[in-house]
Amino acid sequence: MRLTKYTDLALRAVMRLAVVDDGELLTTREIAEAMRVPYTHMAKAIAHLKRLGVVEARRGRNGGLALTGTGRHAGVGRLVRALEGNREVVMCDGDDPCPLAGGCRLRRALHEAQEAFYASLDRLAVQDLVASPTGRVLLSLSVPHD
């Protein structure tokens, strides 16, 4: 199964936020620049993570983003499901429906494979993703300077 770039960006943002020191806040722009992605794309992913209760934003001069307790211990499978939405691996219906839709076993097999993929991610929490050596790599990411 292939994840969308949107989900990839959101997971990278969560991972980066998971390794900051207590009390340290990052901005969306800092995360986007460290990950070398457009700010607008990262801003959309961060907004979704806020709606999911994974990230909180603190306003003001010393404001920024932090993971919530829920975000730090969130299951990766749950996050991916929420970010990807309820998409099927193949589209059998729609404007140009598949002629096999009435008797095809492939759709069900692919759905079961998708659920197995998510189930394997369910065993991981965000904190598992940033264990050594990944955490050190995330901390070494800095904003590129010209």
Side-chain angles (χ1 to χ4, degrees), residues 19 130-141:
V19 297
V130 297
S132 186
T134 306
R136 286 192 313 271
V137 173
L138 286 162
L139 287 170
S140 73
L141 295 178

Side-chain angles (χ1 to χ4, degrees), residues 43-116:
K44 288 177 187 175
I46 294 291
H48 195 166
L49 292 168
K50 286 192 289 187
R51 285 191 306 274
L52 293 173
V54 173
V55 171
E56 66 179 338
R58 298 180 190 156
R59 295 187 181 267
R61 195 167 73 127
N62 296 319
L65 303 169
L67 277 186
T68 63
T70 300
R72 188 165 303 285
H73 302 288
V76 176
R78 182 183 72 82
L79 275 176
V80 171
R81 281 181 186 89
L83 292 163
E84 287 288 310
N86 195 15
R87 296 182 317 125
E88 292 202 36
V89 177
V90 294
M91 294 301 298
C92 300
D93 306 319
D95 294 338
D96 191 20
C98 176
L100 302 174
C104 182
R105 297 177 64 175
L106 178 62
R107 184 178 193 175
R108 177 148 185 86
L110 291 173
H111 177 74
E112 289 172 3
Q114 181 180 31
E115 286 306 310

